[in-house]
Amino acid sequence: MRPTRLPRVVIAAPASGQGKTTIAVGIMAALTRAGHVVSPAKVGPDYIDPGYHALATGRPGRNLDPWLTSEELIVPLLLHGARTPAPADVAVIEGVMGLFDGRIGTGGFASTAHLATLTRTPVVLVADISSAARTIAATLHGLRTFDPAVDVVGVILNKSGSARHAHEVRSSVEATGLPVLGVLPRDAGVSAPSRHLGLIPAAERTDAVSALDRLAEQTAQLIDLDLLLELAGRAPDLAATPWSPTAELDAPHAHPDPSASRPVVAVAGGRSFTFRYAETDELLRAHGCEPVLFDPALDTSLPAGTSGLYLGGGFPEAHAPALSRNTALTASVRDAIASGMPTVAECAGLLYLCRTLEGHDFVGAVPADAAMHPRLTLQYRSARTTVDSILGPAGTTSRGHEFHRTRTAPGAGPTAAWAHEDGVDGFALDPAGTGHATVHASYLHTHWAGNPSVPAAFAASVHAYAAQPPVLLGAPPAAHPTAPAQVAFPSAPEPAASVGLDHHGDAEVGPGLVDFAVNVRVPAPPAWLATALREGIGDLAAYPVVGEARAALARRHGVPEEMVLPTSGGAEAFTLIARAIAGRRPLVVHPQFTEPESALRRAGRVPDQHVLSAPDGFVLHPERVPADADLVFVGNPTNPTGVLHPRSSLESLRAPGRVLVVDEAFMDAIVGEPDSLISSDLEGVLVIRSLTKTWGLAGLRAGYVVGDPALLALLAEQQPHWSVSSLAARASVAVCAPAARAEEAELAREAAGWRRHLVRGLQALGLDPVAGAAPFVLVRVGPGIHTVLRERGYAVRRGDSFPGLGTDWVRIAVRDPHTTDGLLRELQSVLGGTAARASAVGHPGASMVTASAHPTDRSAPPRRELTA
């Protein structure tokens, strides 16, 4: 065989907790963004880190574990990953634990050093230097010389306390002959949050992409990637044949005709089921099956034509309420299993099939209850099946690992899934009386590439099940009319507000809630903005100066600098106006953001309220505003209605002796900002802008006022010294750059599409959302719905703090379509019969409610789904 050239490097560490995952992922992301094709891999069975690897590289994250597979398979699996789906330029392999730490009692078997030796890969160490200096050099020297077969070629120093500290460590390490590829400061500020089993998976983090962008940029600045690639290029060629999922196949359904029907294996995914080995899907396809992802928290039925179930690893305990509420799917899974559908459930899958988990009702196909346990289970295990099953005949052996902090009661069924050196555990069930176990559920995770007979047996069972006459399970579909039914609400007067004017969306959110309440449009500032802010931290000792920010904002709007006043967010602007601008009859146009009225009241001024009409779509009629109102506040687009008032209507509100205040906090979310009032002629006008919503800066407080210079001078007299921080000023400059403006426009276009998705989904449920253009939607859903949605894990903004609205109104922030569909499913369930009568709204990319029966789908009841 021809040797294969593959530049490669192992990122290892002296111990766990040194930062190797963060740095390995950063290297993968930085190299990928520099144009390299990176093949990622992880030493050991860990299933969380490969999720970050996949996000960083755009390729499957793979595991290399000689215990789970075999020593002989490691290089073939590495080469397979490096050429799938396309040839890679370099492989980056993240180690596990300390460099020489492997399976206890085996002399370091399955350690990072063992893997590096098997693959003849150079090792770069990551060392946490926060608690030592020259001793670090001694430790690294020992690691480098402990085993001559392990080629340690460099080090990255992490968590330095100061420049002097970094220099002391670096010089002592380099004196040993070990090159230092980079030094990361202690306050680098990029890490992944953790919980009871380690890092929170990437698929569960809404900020994962933005965090990765920051990490990639930081890595490129602080680590010598050119030297890293040079060291990786020193790795010798590998003389082995790449692993192939089809190499050992001899079953009649192997190498299937591409045109032939392929039975579907429903594979659990989404935020609650984030783990399976990449080779699992490849082996299923090689055996003529088609793995199709479904989300147990969101999908209300199994994919059409499902003939097998694979429920892998994840964190159902973290998403138990959402999984339990999806009773349509749990019933569908329960019926499918009862019909004899082949089902493999590993760890999280076992929990999902139990009767309950921490008191939440689950599928109930496995006669056990699960709960959290104070002790972590983490171990390799050799096991054998106890009966004939979908995994093969009794006595089929597998190697696997367990990693969980739950227990089931009982721990095993009358017929156990596995027998091992410590006894038996798991459940092998035959609910349809087929004569062999069609359900195999246990805590053991197995790597099918190392157990090739297992996927072959499972696929054979799936093919056999698919060949049986179809059986429709569950109730027939409900009647489905052709037009959405409009939800009818009582015509009685709206109830009085039960919360005050100072209630805002941030009070709605909390742990475990999906946030549709806060109108900040991104979970974190983009990488380039985060970098600009980090670079400003060194200047915090100096008092802030906002001249450059004022100039940048003036250029952005094409007005003189004296027409711009930077503020500490929009809230400060309202306070300054309430204190500085005279007026005998202040008036606030409602419903709108309540801070203007709150600011007036705090200043001892009680404004009039001009309440727009809900039946009229909250349209502003300027002629109806009292002529003697001499300080008028109006939002555009208005929060919470989302209505974008025409510029001509606002111009009509301008009058001699009147100050018009227009809150344009969300105008930058409107494509082209067509109805902004900002111009060089703003006599008697103040326009308030915010930078916090679009750029994820709510915690920084960055905003400004554009308007009449004489009025701005009055505001400036009331403004405390240095109210605008130097970081807020720096952010103001950064977001005015041409590239930032282009990104802002793209975000606005994206938000418009997402808004249409939400609006059409609400309409499909028979609701009538207010017509608007803002990145949020106001809709009347009925009394109590806000509270019920909250109980079901979704935070929306209650309406009764806004004058003119009541408890039956909610404001829903625009989110990505997938997240929105989850809310719509819950809302459909909450609305009950009314929502069930809704029909599909046919349009590209819209959320729609459909009901259709699949005669060959054994996973009935018929699918009722929101599709994108």
Side-chain angles (χ1 to χ4, degrees), residues 359 463 469 580:
H463 280 274

Side-chain angles (χ1 to χ4, degrees), residues 388-401:
D388 294 346
S389 73
I390 53 172
L391 300 190
T396 297
T397 60
S398 287
R399 284 182 170 185
H401 79 102

Side-chain angles (χ1 to χ4, degrees), residues 309-350:
L309 277 172
Y310 181 89
L311 309 172
F315 291 93
E317 62 270 28
H319 304 279
L323 294 169
S324 178
R325 286 192 302 268
N326 194 358
T327 55
L329 183 65
T330 54
S332 182
V333 171
R334 186 164 53 249
D335 288 345
I337 289 174
S339 75
M341 183 179 290
T343 301
V344 171
E346 295 187 344
C347 200
L350 164 66

